[in-house]
Amino acid sequence: MLQLLKPSELRLLLCLLYALCNVVTRLLKKDDSDSIFQELRQLLGLGILLGLEFLISSDIIYTMEVELTF
């Protein structure tokens, strides 16, 4: 059965797709391979950081929202 992605996973996937599309277009333009690789690493890192930031903030909000049981 198909499971829907969480918002943080969707953001990570979108950043990954954007980074790969960016690499392909720059390779077709015959740009410098070192700068392409550097930008790919930066975009993937940005996607991972954004995904982690949203996961942590949603966990904090959930922790504050849940009713205490003790």
Side-chain angles (χ1 to χ4, degrees):
M1 190 175 268
L2 183 64
Q3 182 181 2
L4 294 176
L5 294 175
K6 295 177 185 175
S8 56
E9 294 170 346
L10 184 61
R11 284 181 188 88
L12 182 60
L13 182 64
L14 289 176
C15 285
L16 173 68
L17 290 175
Y18 174 74
L20 290 177
C21 289
N22 189 13
V23 166
V24 169
T25 56
R26 290 189 63 191
L27 283 173
L28 291 175
K29 291 181 182 179
K30 310 249 190 245
D31 284 347
D32 182 34
S33 62
D34 290 336
S35 66
I36 294 173
F37 180 68
Q38 182 69 24
E39 188 172 351
L40 175 65
R41 289 182 61 193
Q42 288 176 349
L43 289 173
L44 291 177
L46 177 68
I48 292 170
L49 285 175
L50 280 175
L52 284 173
E53 187 173 338
F54 279 99
L55 278 173
I56 291 170
S57 62
S58 66
D59 188 40
I60 290 171
I61 291 170
Y62 175 75
T63 303
M64 293 171 53
E65 183 182 271
V66 173
E67 195 173 307
L68 295 177
T69 58
F70 59 89

